[in-house]
Amino acid sequence: MNAKSAISKEIFAPHDERMLGAVQVKRRTKKKIPFLATGGQGEYLTYICLSVTNKKPAQASITKVKQFEGSTSFVRRTQWMLEQLRQVNGIDPNRDSPEFDLLFENAFDQWVANTASEKCTFFQILHHTCQRYLTDKKPEFINCQSKIMGGNSILHSAADSVTSAVQKASQALNERGERLGRAEEKTEELKNSAQQFAETAHKLAMKHKC
């Protein structure tokens, strides 16, 4: 089981939450944290996780999760409701970069993701989650690449594919309906012609009989 699957199982599943995405990070500028504040456990890995409750109405949140050196378990640290997120800064909109900033109502963190692609995937999920679960006070996404915000994202591409398939199916049904309609009209015309022919034949037969 990889780290993200383990986090989902250990941290979120017991609280009836579903993890939507996670990114492994390090601080760009290290904070001076007292030895006792970490519990004397030394080095650790940090993950920024995005989750949503299974209970309705669904509530999304961002959680900082740590794994201390020598331990196989994960520890939930700080958690913010998604409504508290004010700004997502991608740092550079012109290139793939692992750096990003998150600004909350009461906190500001500067991070470096494990890889630029991991950051990009997390941003796409985060942007989609904000659009889906927040009606007011949506965070500002600045200095982000267009593929994160626009049609090149994984989520938008999937949505476009589904939309295209639906449109094609609808068009095929419309065309089939038009063909059936024309066939029905042709059948009606043939029926009328046959009826007129029968009436004419009957009149001629009666005339000759007389």
Side-chain angles (χ1 to χ4, degrees):
M1 184 183 297
N2 62 34
K4 293 177 184 178
S5 297
I7 291 172
S8 178
K9 183 178 179 180
E10 287 184 34
I11 301 296
F12 297 104
H15 296 276
D16 199 25
E17 294 178 80
R18 178 165 47 93
M19 193 176 82
L20 303 177
V23 57
Q24 184 180 337
V25 297
K26 291 182 179 179
R27 290 189 183 278
R28 289 212 310 279
T29 55
K30 287 190 176 182
K31 290 183 178 180
K32 292 183 178 180
I33 303 175
F35 180 74
L36 291 176
T38 64
Q41 294 172 290
E43 294 296 321
Y44 53 83
L45 299 177
T46 303
Y47 297 85
I48 302 298
C49 306
L50 180 64
S51 64
V52 63
T53 58
N54 292 317
K55 186 178 179 181
K56 306 296 182 183
Q59 292 185 320
S61 59
I62 295 175
T63 306
K64 189 188 301 180
V65 174
K66 293 185 178 182
Q67 181 184 33
F68 289 93
E69 186 178 23
S71 174
T72 58
S73 62
F74 297 87
V75 181
R76 182 192 294 253
R77 288 302 193 183
T78 313
Q79 184 175 53
W80 299 272
M81 300 306 297
L82 194 59
E83 292 87 348
Q84 294 178 286
L85 181 62
R86 290 290 171 260
Q87 187 182 85
V88 179
N89 189 342
I91 306 301
D92 192 338
N94 300 315
R95 67 180 181 88
D96 291 332
S97 67
E99 296 89 0
F100 68 95
D101 297 342
L102 296 179
L103 174 64
F104 296 92
E105 286 181 351
N106 57 352
F108 174 68
D109 282 318
Q110 296 177 309
W111 300 107
V112 180
N114 204 31
T115 64
S117 62
E118 192 176 350
K119 165 199 162 182
C120 181
T121 301
F122 180 75
F123 268 34
Q124 288 172 350
I125 298 171
L126 178 58
H127 182 260
H128 175 76
T129 304
C130 289
Q131 298 304 310
R132 180 175 180 181
Y133 293 102
L134 298 181
T135 53
D136 300 318
K137 295 183 179 180
K138 293 179 182 178
E140 178 186 21
F141 281 74
I142 63 171
N143 299 321
C144 294
Q145 292 178 293
S146 59
K147 63 183 177 181
I148 292 173
M149 312 292 291
N152 291 329
S153 71
I154 297 170
L155 296 167
H156 280 80
S157 295
D160 290 344
S161 297
V162 172
T163 301
S164 177
V166 171
Q167 289 175 343
K168 288 179 180 179
S170 178
Q171 183 179 355
L173 287 173
N174 289 336
E175 290 175 353
R176 183 182 179 188
E178 289 175 1
R179 289 196 297 270
L180 288 173
R182 287 196 295 270
E184 288 175 357
E185 290 175 2
K186 192 66 177 177
T187 302
E188 189 66 25
E189 288 176 3
L190 291 172
K191 180 181 177 181
N192 292 335
S193 297
Q195 186 175 356
Q196 290 175 2
F197 178 79
E199 291 175 355
T200 302
H202 179 70
K203 289 178 181 178
L204 287 172
M206 293 298 293
K207 182 178 179 180
H208 287 293
K209 184 176 181 180
C210 295

